[in-house]
């Protein structure tokens, strides 16, 4: 996934790669406004599923995906940018962006989980554990798989490695 920001526009270049052969099996470019990031993600997901011959997501599944993003367009933009900074190993910038998201939407579990990862990357283990614990408190309404990912991260930040490994195994 490559994310490109230009003013108020966003471009997603999504590639699906066969992990065995290295072959790119699907490549999808999708463009739109930053405020419409959910629609961009949904459109790219639908195109990928079509090209791979998979069924479309149900309306209930789409609601679950929507819950994984902040509600307000400005919080979504900061969240996406924070995740991008995390992927680029720019944890300090990610912390700033994700803290802003947490202030704007304090009930968004994924923002707290991402902020935990950013603090963890900087070596602030106590702060990471606090954010991971908060993310877990807020994850109750999320789909099971997303809740387990957040729980596994929280367990790891709490030093509960056996439980974290068991959760990751169940997800695998």
């Amino acid at each position: 996934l490559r994310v490109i920001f230009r003013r108020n526009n966003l471009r997603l270049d999504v590639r699906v790669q066969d992990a065995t052969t290295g072959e790119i099996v699907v490549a999808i470019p999708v463009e739109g406004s930053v405020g419409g990031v959910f629609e961009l993600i949904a459109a790219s997901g639908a195109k990928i599923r079509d090209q791979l011959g998979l069924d479309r997501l149900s309306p209930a599944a789409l609601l679950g995906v929507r819950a994984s993003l902040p509600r307000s367009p400005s919080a979504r933009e900061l969240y996406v940018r924070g995740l991008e900074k995390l992927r680029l190993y720019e944890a300090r910038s990610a912390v700033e962006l994700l803290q802003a998201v947490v202030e704007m939407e304090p009930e968004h579990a994924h923002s707290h989980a991402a902020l935990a990862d950013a603090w963890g990357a900087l070596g602030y283990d106590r702060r990471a554990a606090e954010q991971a614990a908060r993310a877990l408190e807020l994850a109750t309404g999320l789909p099971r798989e997303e809740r387990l990912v957040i729980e596994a991260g929280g367990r790891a930040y709490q030093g509960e490695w056996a439980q974290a490994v068991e959760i990751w195994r169940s997800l695998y």
Side-chain angles (χ1 to χ4, degrees):
L1 173 67
R2 185 173 66 154
V3 181
I4 302 168
F5 292 100
R6 290 193 189 115
R7 295 189 192 141
N8 207 19
N9 290 322
L10 177 69
R11 177 185 164 116
L12 301 177
D13 290 328
V14 182
R15 292 183 185 160
V16 177
Q17 184 175 16
D18 183 320
T20 308
T21 65
E23 175 188 357
I24 303 294
V25 292
V26 177
I28 306 280
V30 183
E31 295 186 44
S33 72
V34 172
V37 69
F38 177 77
E39 290 74 17
L40 287 176
I41 292 168
S44 63
K47 286 181 183 180
I48 289 169
R49 294 180 77 77
D50 286 345
Q51 287 195 15
L52 293 175
L54 302 172
D55 293 335
R56 294 238 171 168
L57 292 179
S58 69
L62 282 173
L63 285 175
V65 172
R66 188 176 291 271
S68 69
L69 293 169
R71 287 184 300 268
S72 76
S74 55
R76 275 196 304 258
E77 178 182 354
L78 293 172
Y79 178 68
V80 169
R81 288 185 177 179
L83 293 180
E84 180 183 32
K85 294 295 183 185
L86 265 178
R87 288 186 188 107
L88 295 172
Y89 303 102
E90 297 176 17
R92 285 199 194 287
S93 297
V95 163
E96 292 174 15
L97 292 164
L98 294 166
Q99 279 182 317
V101 177
V102 165
E103 288 173 16
M104 294 169 79
E105 294 197 20
E107 303 301 309
H108 186 247
H110 290 290
S111 297
H112 288 277
L115 184 54
D117 290 340
W119 281 125
L122 291 172
Y124 290 93
D125 296 337
R126 186 181 57 73
R127 289 181 181 178
E130 289 169 358
Q131 288 300 317
R134 183 65 180 137
L136 187 54
E137 289 171 10
L138 297 169
T140 56
L142 294 176
R144 180 180 181 276
E145 197 170 290
E146 290 180 44
R147 206 173 48 250
L148 288 174
V149 168
I150 289 174
E151 183 180 352
R155 299 266 187 195
Y157 284 119
Q158 297 295 332
E160 300 171 358
W161 292 105
Q163 296 94 328
V165 168
E166 194 55 41
I167 293 167
W168 283 318
R169 276 195 186 127
S170 74
L171 286 165
Y172 177 74

